[in-house]
Amino acid sequence: MTNPKFHSLPNFKAVHQFLGDGNAENDLKNILMKEIFSIEEKIGKDKLHKDISVYSTKGRVKTASSIFLKTKRKLRDSFGEYSDYAGVRVLVMFEEELLKVLDYLLKEVVEHGKLYEMKVFNMDDHIKQGLKELENFKAHENNGFNSISKEIFDYIDREPRYRSIHILFGKKINYRKDLFGYGDGIFVLELQLRTLTDDLWAEMEHKLAYKQGKTNQQLATSFAHLKDDLTTMGKRLSSLRRLRARQMAVNQLSIIGSGPYLFLDYENEWDPLEFLPKNQQLHSVVQKLRDASKDYAVDDTSEPARNKYIDTAEPLLAKIDELFANSHEGKASEISENNKDKIDYFVRMERGYVAFLKGNYLDAHDIYSAITIDSAYSDRPVPHLRLGEVSFVRNAIGEKSCVHDRGLVQSDQTNRDDSKTHESSQLNVHQGGQGQSSSGRNDDQGQSCFDASLAAFDKAVDLVYTAFKDGKASPVQRKVGAGIINKVASIYMLLGADEYLDYCIELYRFVAEMVDGLTDPSPIMTSNNLGWCYVEKMRISYEERKNGPDGAWINEISYWHGKAWNTLEIIFRDLEDQSKLNKFSSNHLDTASWFLFQTWRLLQHTSEREKNVLRGQIVKKSPGFVYSTPDAALKKAEEFCRLGWGLKNRAIFSASSVYAQRHHTEEIMEAKKNHPSDG
């Protein structure tokens, strides 16, 4: 009798002894689990600090029973012939992200190992061709990949709808070298890369139909249809992603282009022009710098104007440094110690402003960060706003890591005395700063730029509120505080208007209270910002109206309609006078037209009974509102829409605002075309 092959296969006890149970330090299972954890940990950290689009990872080590059954399926008696004892599945959301993440994996994860094999299952030709063009794939080719591998780009030993990329690479591990076929203690690990939808199908197919599907035709057919549905869904999601990417590109342009918000004036007691003698040369130079700043920020913020301002400001700042140094040596009129601090603050803030405008974001970050931890200035809200702004821009351009705002010693300390420098150094040590470079920047990873921006904005808002609630805010402080709150509210609107709408309403209400009685900022600007939020609340209430009981939605919508009208009435009143049109921006007209369009939509798409009730509520809660019929509302919406496109957009994030304004115009014009009798 011949010796049957099944007789030579390892029994379950042998498999269990080979793998171990993970309890002993030198168990193979324990060693492999550590390797898998190390890979997942690295990918997780790189997600935070590098631009890689990994959605999630799933690591696993095969169980003893899984290995045992595989020996039966493959009729192999050598443990070293298998290459999937341990691996990590890497998932991306969209097919477009596969190649970029694959390139990352080949460089960062396989880098210290040896690439043995790559299997590409049922991928489209552009993926297979793009793979060969990857920089790090070519690097492995140059390292002998082709000569030792089975480079397979059409792998058919799986269900034809299974889509995935498998990477096999070797790593040395401290375990029995005689067990593995690659020699010298090399153990093969597997990386699997696929999309979420492909993974969903593979998981369900493996759970419900793998192997059984080959004998159960109904299962096989059902999963084939399911795969087709998931493929269609994946393509739709990719299409939505592309649309979202366009909007994000506009937002990125807006964020980078916005720069530092306005020229936020100095309170009288902090303004060098208020305490420097007018006959002193330092006063004259400061005056020139202030005039240049205001001319740029108020009159013309175009790129040529910005470059002109920078060319003017830099030599003036150098001259102030020179005169300030002379004043320390007694060569100029004496300046009190208190006023020296204030001039130092002024110069550092202006230098940060110039660096920000030049796009030297890290320099600007260092300057503002150092100011916010200086005890003489830490309660000033503007540096915290500027720190938030520059961190937000750095996040927008892809800088994931941002030095902690309390974790550096600013190199721009030349004008500070030794005690101040020592104080800042002590703060750095106290906050756990490390890795300080010779330039004064902290080289550790710190918090993310996005986190740093949120923390700085929150601190700025808190400082503004504290000054105002104590009743000590001067008119200049109220004006500056309003500018700070407006910028922060705009940030949150950009992050997600619907999600943070209630928070923005609270911020804009605070601004309205703060500037009450002031002529600058303009009352119509304050009304426009708050009114816009009320219009959006009205829109959201309308879109969610079917979720509530009959009639309840009318009360809610009419409430927000009344809030919007009572806030925007000042704008509508002045818009009736064409001679006053030059005081408005396209943003005011966009808000007014969007409000009227939402009113038209309410009146147009309701039953006659609801329409009568709604009209009655509008008359009651929006006294003076004269556009309570669909015809009147849509006609005026179109008129304001046309007028708005002839005016300048003055939003903080103008590119994003123009993008939204275009969308509103399209909706209004489409409504007019489809409902000519309503306008």
Side-chain angles (χ1 to χ4, degrees):
M1 178 180 178
T2 59
N3 188 26
K5 194 165 186 177
F6 70 80
H7 183 68
S8 63
L9 297 178
N11 59 35
F12 190 85
K13 182 177 180 181
V15 174
H16 189 272
Q17 288 177 340
F18 163 75
L19 185 64
D21 55 15
N23 292 324
E25 184 70 22
N26 60 348
D27 276 354
L28 177 60
K29 183 176 182 179
N30 198 41
I31 293 171
L32 294 178
M33 287 174 67
K34 288 181 179 178
E35 290 289 340
I36 295 305
F37 177 76
S38 175
I39 293 173
E40 289 195 277
E41 184 179 39
K42 174 174 178 51
I43 294 174
K45 287 182 178 179
D46 287 348
K47 281 176 63 178
L48 295 175
H49 304 298
K50 298 181 180 179
D51 186 21
I52 59 168
S53 304
V54 172
Y55 177 75
S56 66
T57 58
K58 302 178 182 179
R60 68 104 174 97
V61 176
K62 274 187 177 293
T63 63
S65 60
S66 180
I67 297 173
F68 176 73
L69 290 173
K70 190 162 188 173
T71 65
K72 297 292 189 278
R73 292 199 307 274
K74 303 294 184 180
L75 292 179
R76 294 176 183 172
D77 57 6
S78 171
F79 292 120
E81 295 183 28
Y82 302 122
S83 58
D84 61 348
Y85 287 122
V88 176
R89 185 176 302 155
V90 181
L91 303 180
V92 299
M93 295 187 73
F94 305 100
E95 184 178 286
E96 294 89 340
E97 297 167 339
L98 284 170
L99 290 176
K100 187 173 183 180
V101 173
L102 176 60
D103 202 40
Y104 157 78
L105 294 174
L106 289 173
K107 181 179 187 297
E108 298 292 343
V109 179
V110 185
E111 179 184 22
H112 302 297
K114 187 75 172 178
L115 181 62
Y116 282 109
E117 190 171 354
M118 188 175 296
K119 303 177 182 180
V120 180
F121 296 91
N122 304 304
M123 288 291 177
D124 295 337
D125 288 342
H126 74 276
I127 296 289
K128 290 182 282 187
Q129 185 58 42
L131 187 156
K132 297 179 182 180
E133 300 300 320
L134 294 178
E135 178 182 343
N136 291 297
F137 180 81
K138 292 179 179 179
H140 283 290
E141 280 189 311
N142 296 334
N143 198 30
F145 171 60
N146 279 338
S147 64
I148 62 171
S149 73
K150 298 175 290 182
E151 185 183 337
I152 300 174
F153 287 100
D154 285 298
Y155 211 80
I156 59 175
D157 188 25
R158 291 296 292 265
E159 211 282 349
R161 287 176 173 80
Y162 177 81
R163 287 164 45 90
S164 188
I165 299 174
H166 293 192
I167 304 169
L168 304 180
F169 69 103
K171 289 195 71 175
K172 283 189 177 183
I173 66 170
N174 187 23
Y175 200 68
R176 289 177 54 187
K177 297 182 179 181
D178 60 308
L179 284 176
F180 311 116
Y182 293 90
D184 197 27
I186 297 293
F187 193 90
V188 174
L189 300 173
E190 181 180 53
L191 294 172
Q192 296 182 358
L193 175 63
R194 63 179 69 144
T195 66
L196 277 173
T197 52
D198 286 332
D199 187 62
L200 174 63
W201 180 87
E203 287 284 323
M204 293 191 298
E205 192 268 349
H206 189 277
K207 183 75 172 177
L208 301 177
Y210 186 48
K211 305 175 188 65
Q212 289 82 4
K214 295 179 179 179
T215 58
N216 188 323
Q217 188 58 41
Q218 184 180 359
L219 274 176
T221 302
S222 296
F223 270 92
H225 291 320
L226 175 62
K227 180 58 178 177
D228 293 340
D229 291 342
L230 288 174
T231 299
T232 300
M233 183 176 74
K235 291 179 179 179
R236 287 177 179 171
L237 290 172
S238 292
S239 178
L240 292 174
R241 175 183 179 271
R242 288 190 290 273
L243 287 174
R244 174 63 173 164
R246 292 176 190 172
Q247 183 178 346
M248 293 304 293
V250 172
N251 287 351
Q252 183 186 46
L253 176 66
S254 261
I255 293 166
I256 297 171
S258 67
Y261 178 52
L262 297 178
F263 174 79
L264 297 172
D265 218 332
Y266 298 86
E267 301 93 315
N268 290 346
E269 66 271 21
W270 284 82
D271 189 345
L273 298 179
E274 294 295 322
F275 55 77
L276 287 174
K278 291 186 178 180
N279 61 352
Q280 192 182 64
Q281 189 179 5
L282 188 56
H283 183 285
S284 174
V285 179
V286 169
Q287 180 73 68
K288 290 178 182 178
L289 181 60
R290 292 291 303 283
D291 290 344
S293 298
K294 288 183 177 179
D295 287 345
Y296 163 70
V298 176
D299 296 335
D300 185 1
T301 56
S302 64
E303 185 173 353
R306 181 175 70 242
N307 293 335
K308 179 182 177 182
Y309 164 70
I310 291 170
D311 291 342
T312 302
E314 289 188 311
L316 290 174
L317 283 167
K319 185 65 176 178
I320 292 173
D321 282 343
E322 176 190 337
L323 295 172
F324 192 48
N326 289 340
S327 72
H328 276 282
E329 298 169 9
K331 297 177 182 178
S333 301
E334 288 189 4
I335 302 174
S336 70
E337 289 301 319
N338 185 43
N339 286 341
K340 285 178 182 178
D341 275 350
K342 293 175 180 178
I343 295 175
D344 174 68
Y345 172 75
F346 169 80
V347 170
R348 292 164 72 184
M349 288 295 293
E350 294 299 308
R351 184 169 285 118
Y353 190 71
V354 170
F356 200 158
L357 290 174
K358 290 177 69 176
N360 295 339
Y361 302 126
L362 189 54
D363 289 342
H365 175 278
D366 283 1
I367 293 171
Y368 292 132
S369 184
I371 295 173
T372 62
I373 64 172
D374 193 318
S375 60
Y377 319 126
S378 59
D379 63 345
R380 316 298 303 156
V382 177
H384 292 279
L385 172 74
R386 295 295 190 224
L387 181 60
E389 287 178 312
V390 76
S391 299
F392 200 67
V393 170
R394 291 180 66 192
N395 178 72
I397 62 177
E399 294 186 31
K400 300 297 183 184
S401 177
C402 190
V403 178
H404 194 289
D405 61 345
R406 289 186 176 274
L408 59 86
V409 180
Q410 167 60 21
S411 58
D412 181 32
Q413 290 281 356
T414 54
N415 295 332
R416 308 295 296 150
D417 60 32
D418 292 339
S419 64
K420 289 292 184 186
T421 305
H422 177 70
E423 179 182 359
S424 295
S425 300
Q426 292 302 311
L427 279 169
N428 179 57
V429 173
H430 179 68
Q431 294 297 329
Q434 56 183 342
Q436 193 72 26
S437 70
S438 59
S439 67
R441 294 181 181 129
N442 193 324
D443 291 334
D444 68 348
Q445 292 295 311
Q447 66 186 153
S448 74
C449 289
F450 185 67
D451 289 351
S453 68
L454 295 181
F457 288 139
D458 201 51
K459 182 65 175 178
V461 170
D462 183 63
L463 289 172
V464 170
Y465 174 71
T466 300
F468 182 74
K469 76 171 184 177
D470 292 340
K472 299 177 181 178
S474 67
V476 173
Q477 283 180 302
R478 290 160 62 192
K479 174 187 173 182
V480 170
I484 290 172
I485 302 299
N486 279 329
K487 178 61 183 276
V488 173
S490 295
I491 292 286
Y492 278 93
M493 293 291 279
L494 197 68
L495 291 177
D498 289 4
E499 292 87 342
Y500 304 106
L501 195 54
D502 290 335
Y503 179 61
C504 291
I505 287 174
E506 290 302 308
L507 291 179
Y508 286 134
R509 281 174 173 167
F510 177 45
V511 170
E513 184 179 357
M514 221 177 357
V515 301
D516 185 36
L518 300 181
T519 57
D520 186 15
S522 166
I524 64 170
M525 183 189 79
T526 304
S527 297
N528 187 70
N529 292 337
L530 184 55
W532 168 262
C533 291
Y534 289 146
V535 174
E536 285 297 280
K537 290 293 287 187
M538 187 174 75
R539 174 188 62 79
I540 293 169
S541 295
Y542 168 77
E543 292 173 354
E544 297 176 349
R545 65 181 191 175
K546 293 182 179 179
N547 297 329
D550 291 344
W553 67 271
I554 293 180
N555 290 329
E556 182 177 351
I557 289 177
S558 58
Y559 169 79
W560 290 116
H561 188 283
K563 298 291 287 186
W565 170 249
N566 291 328
T567 305
L568 297 172
E569 187 178 10
I570 182 177
I571 296 175
F572 275 83
R573 186 174 61 244
D574 285 354
L575 281 174
E576 292 301 322
D577 185 350
Q578 291 290 310
S579 65
K580 296 182 178 180
L581 194 60
N582 60 351
K583 68 187 284 189
F584 294 102
S585 68
S586 67
N587 313 99
H588 298 102
L589 276 295
D590 181 48
T591 300
S593 62
W594 192 238
F595 171 53
L596 291 169
F597 175 72
Q598 295 304 324
T599 302
W600 170 83
R601 195 163 69 142
L602 292 176
L603 296 171
Q604 178 68 27
H605 300 291
T606 54
S607 67
E608 283 301 318
R609 183 187 64 82
E610 291 174 326
K611 190 179 300 184
N612 290 332
V613 175
L614 182 59
R615 189 180 290 117
Q617 290 289 335
I618 288 176
V619 170
K620 179 180 178 182
K621 297 180 180 179
S622 306
F625 184 74
V626 296
Y627 311 104
S628 56
T629 65
D631 285 358
L634 187 57
K635 181 178 180 180
K636 203 65 178 178
E638 185 215 350
E639 178 186 331
F640 285 163
C641 193
R642 291 183 183 278
L643 286 173
W645 281 105
L647 301 175
K648 185 175 182 178
N649 187 293
R650 296 187 180 277
I652 293 174
F653 298 113
S654 58
S656 297
S657 177
V658 170
Y659 189 87
Q661 190 174 338
R662 177 181 174 181
H663 164 68
H664 298 159
T665 300
E666 289 171 350
E667 287 214 41
I668 292 169
M669 292 307 176
E670 183 181 14
K672 179 183 179 298
K673 179 181 178 181
N674 295 333
H675 302 274
S677 62
D678 293 337

